Amino acid sequence: MGHMSGPYVIRGSVSLPEAELLWRFSRSSGPGGQHVNTSDTQVELRFDLANTEALPPVWKERALERLAPRLVGGVVSVRASEHRSQWRNREMAAVRLASLLAEATAPPPKPRRATKIPRGINERRLRNKKQRSETKRGRTGQGWS
């Protein structure tokens, strides 16, 4: 069987801990030929988020909070069955899990700071607005008979 391509990096130096990934294979409803009913190509990848030591505590809290709806007993699971080969589905599942965790552990966006609009810009906007309304007023149908 081909080698799994490297550690799946979540962000920075943190990657999915190979040892903590639980793989389950089952028959896929995806594409396939006569061979499809006998081969376990669907992949389910589970990762125990609640008990992992692989993530920095802050990330872990964030992830647990954000992924709460999809966790079952602290475990997050990802499925893949698009491909006919189990190996490619494994790749898909691992990549999916890594990007899911990357998203869930991302730092919250910086709060938006309100800045004052320079007076000149505001005045220019009002001037343009006035001009526009004049233009439109001039369009009312007088003298167009």
Side-chain angles (χ1 to χ4, degrees), residues 73-99:
V75 176
V76 63
S77 68
V78 179
R79 275 214 182 97
S81 59
E82 296 82 283
H83 299 296
R84 285 184 58 172
S85 91
Q86 186 194 89
W87 186 71
R88 281 175 63 197
N89 280 333
R90 285 178 71 150
E91 292 280 284
M92 279 302 293
V95 167
R96 243 180 236 166
L97 182 63
S99 68

Side-chain angles (χ1 to χ4, degrees), residues 15 25 58 83 109 125:
S15 54
F25 307 102
V58 186
H83 299 296
R125 181 181 63 90

Side-chain angles (χ1 to χ4, degrees), residues 34-48:
Q34 289 108 325
H35 181 56
V36 74
N37 298 329
T38 57
S39 56
D40 294 341
T41 51
Q42 174 169 295
V43 172
E44 187 184 3
L45 173 56
R46 299 162 61 117
F47 176 60
D48 191 344

Side-chain angles (χ1 to χ4, degrees), residues 121-136:
I121 289 179
N122 213 12
E123 283 173 2
R124 188 171 65 210
R125 181 181 63 90
L126 293 174
R127 260 206 313 280
N128 288 347
K129 233 167 114 108
K130 195 165 248 137
Q131 217 171 358
R132 193 98 193 109
S133 85
E134 286 301 313
T135 307
K136 290 187 172 188

